[in-house]
Amino acid sequence: MKVLVPVKRVIDYNVKVRVKSDQTGVDLANVKMSMNPFDEIAVEEAVRLKEAGIASEIVAVSIGPEKAQDQLRQALAMGADRAILIKTDETVEPLAVAKLLKAVAEEEKPQLVICGKQAIDDDCNQTGQMLAALLGWAQGTFASKVEKDGDKLNVTREIDGGLQTVSLALPAVVTTDLRLNEPRYASLPNIMKAKKKPLDVKEPSTFGVDIAPRLKVLKVTEPPKRQGGAKVASVAELVGKLKEAGVI
C-alpha cells in the first residue's frame, strides 16, 4: 500500500524561542529549523511498514517555504521514496493544511496517511483529525503502536485512562505519539541518495485551495518568569504558607 506522510518545518526543539520586540510573532531570523519531531516519528513508522513488506511506497509532503525542501530531503534520507512541496511563504492554518492534504491524497490515492499528532510550534493538534473528516476516512490518533491485521489496521492509542486499541478499515489517517518509535538517523550514503530522489514543487493554487488565514494574531508574549523558591524551617510553617496561598 502507498503511505502519505506530511512533514512540517519548525524551529528546532533545542532552540530557545524568542518573541519579536513588537510582539507580532516569533523571531525566525538566523534560527535553526528542523523537521517537527512528531513528523519524524511518522516517517520512521512509514519506513518500518515498508521494511516489513506492508507499505510499497512512501510519499512525503510538506507545505511551506522553499527551504522546507531540507526537511523533505531528510524524510527521503530516512527512507521515503519521493516528496512533494506545496510552496508558500504564508502562514497556513490547520484547516487549509488539511484541505491541501486532502487534495494531495485524492491525487496520490494512498491507503494510509501517517502524520504527527501536533506541531511543536503552534501545538494545534488539529490537522490529522480535520483531514480524516474531510476524506471521510477512519482515524486513529495518538498512536503508540500500529499493526496490520489483514485488511484492517490495529492502532493502540494513548488516552487519559491508559491505552485503547481500535481497528481501522483502510484507507485511514493515523497520528503519532512519542512512544510509537525512535526515529533513525539518516546515514551519509542515504543522505547522498536522497539528493537524487524526486521532489516535486507545486503551488496551493494548483489544488484550488484558499489558504487565506481565518484567524488574526493579536499579540505574542513570552510566559512569565518563574518565581524563586523559598525554604521553610518546619512542616508547620509549610502548612501555614500553603493555607495562605489557598492551596489547602
Side-chain angles (χ1 to χ4, degrees), residues 193-230:
K193 289 177 185 176
K195 294 180 179 180
K196 297 181 180 180
K197 290 184 178 180
L199 194 161
D200 296 331
V201 179
K202 301 184 179 184
E203 302 286 337
S205 57
T206 306
F207 301 98
V209 176
D210 177 18
I211 62 171
R214 268 62 172 177
L215 303 175
K216 181 180 179 182
V217 176
L218 302 179
K219 184 170 65 172
V220 178
T221 59
E222 292 186 8
K225 292 184 179 179
R226 295 184 63 180
Q227 300 297 318

Side-chain angles (χ1 to χ4, degrees), residues 9-20 25-35 67 70-71 120-121:
R9 176 182 172 89
V10 299
I11 296 177
D12 189 89
Y13 69 93
N14 288 311
V15 173
K16 178 176 172 55
V17 177
R18 300 185 183 278
V19 176
K20 293 179 180 178
V26 173
D27 189 4
L28 299 179
N30 301 316
V31 173
K32 181 183 178 183
M33 306 294 284
S34 300
M35 186 192 301
K67 289 184 177 179
D70 295 341
Q71 283 65 51
I120 62 171
D121 53 0

Side-chain angles (χ1 to χ4, degrees), residues 157-177:
R157 305 179 58 239
E158 298 199 357
I159 60 174
D160 290 341
L163 299 175
Q164 177 191 59
T165 301
V166 294
S167 179
L168 308 180
L170 296 173
V173 177
V174 172
T175 71
T176 62
D177 215 327

